């Protein structure tokens, strides 16, 4: 089964399992090696909501959804974790904001040369990050935002490789 097929299976399972009325449409399902993130869209605040009030209203809607759905989300997450052997994270999008309730922070080992470590140390010294680990996470988020189109193209190409590999002959060692 390709990674694309597995993601489609996860998406289908969650779409069938989530209660109607939780979200305005199908949730966004993002899956990597460790985690399945389920992000649903809540109704946007009214258009005439003053800008100063909008962010607080979205935060309140997200908190209310989180509290009102907690037990059911935990139940669904446990089922999914048993079935797919991955942790489940939850979040909502509303009014142009995305709020994640739970996410995994997965340690990643990397080897950096001195010049690369100096970049991280500069970010720490400037107060941009509390530690080298935070600085590295900040750098990854920055690249992710600024290279979104390139990363999307790369992910599409990897999905194509998975399809081609799956269509190839089975070779037993």
């Amino acid at each position: 089964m390709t990674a694309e097929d597995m993601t489609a299976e996860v998406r289908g399972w969650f779409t069938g399992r989530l209660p109607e009325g939780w979200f305005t449409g199908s949730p966004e399902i993002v899956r990597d090696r460790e985690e399945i993130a389920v992000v649903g869209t809540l109704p946007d605040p009214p258009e005439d909501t003053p800008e100063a009030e909008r962010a607080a209203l979205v935060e309140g809607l997200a908190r209310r959804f989180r509290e009102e759905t907690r037990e059911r989300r935990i139940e669904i997450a446990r089922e999914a974790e048993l079935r797919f052997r991955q942790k489940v994270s939850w979040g909502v999008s509303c009014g142009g904001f995305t709020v994640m309730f739970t996410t995994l922070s997965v340690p990643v080992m990397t080897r950096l040369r001195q010049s690369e470590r100096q970049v991280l140390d500069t970010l720490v010294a400037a107060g941009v990050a509390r530690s080298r680990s935070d600085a590295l996470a900040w750098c990854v988020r920055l690249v992710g935002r600024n290279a979104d189109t390139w990363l999307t193209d790369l992910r599409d190409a990897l999905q194509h490789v998975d399809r081609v590999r799956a269509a190839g002959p089975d070779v037993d060692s």
Side-chain angles (χ1 to χ4, degrees):
M1 184 181 284
T2 67
E4 187 176 306
D5 291 340
M6 289 188 298
T7 299
E9 178 186 359
V10 168
R11 184 176 293 110
W13 187 87
F14 273 98
T15 301
R17 186 65 181 85
L18 294 174
E20 289 184 32
W22 269 16
F23 306 122
T24 59
S26 295
E28 177 185 8
I29 308 291
V30 180
R31 184 172 186 246
D32 66 12
R33 290 185 219 173
E34 292 85 18
E35 177 179 24
I36 298 168
V38 180
V39 181
T41 303
L42 300 178
D44 285 339
E47 292 290 326
D48 61 347
T49 304
E51 195 59 38
E53 191 178 319
R54 190 174 187 79
L57 178 58
V58 168
E59 181 183 347
L61 291 169
R63 282 180 180 244
R64 182 174 70 194
F65 177 85
R66 182 179 188 184
E67 293 303 319
E68 290 176 356
T69 63
R70 175 174 278 134
E71 288 182 31
R72 193 74 188 273
R73 284 184 298 106
I74 290 170
E75 176 187 323
I76 293 168
R78 284 186 179 141
E79 289 177 30
E81 288 169 5
L82 286 172
R83 180 180 176 114
F84 301 111
R85 302 193 185 287
Q86 289 181 285
K87 289 293 186 184
V88 176
S89 303
W90 296 93
V92 293
S93 291
C94 180
F97 298 95
T98 298
V99 178
M100 295 302 295
F101 306 145
T102 53
T103 57
L104 292 180
S105 291
V106 179
V108 177
M109 173 64 176
T110 185
R111 295 181 187 278
L112 299 176
R113 299 190 186 290
Q114 185 179 36
S115 62
E116 296 160 334
R117 293 189 311 269
Q118 287 173 342
V119 170
L120 300 180
D121 291 341
T122 299
L123 293 171
V124 172
V128 172
R130 293 184 314 254
S131 64
R132 283 181 171 176
S133 177
D134 287 342
L136 187 56
W138 183 88
C139 292
V140 169
R141 285 190 300 272
L142 181 65
V143 169
R145 274 196 304 270
N146 293 318
D148 194 44
T149 302
W150 180 81
L151 288 171
T152 299
D153 291 345
L154 186 60
R155 287 184 188 110
D156 290 345
L158 288 171
Q159 287 177 352
H160 178 72
V161 169
D162 284 343
R163 285 190 300 272
V164 171
R165 191 178 289 141
D170 287 330
V171 179
D172 294 325
S173 336

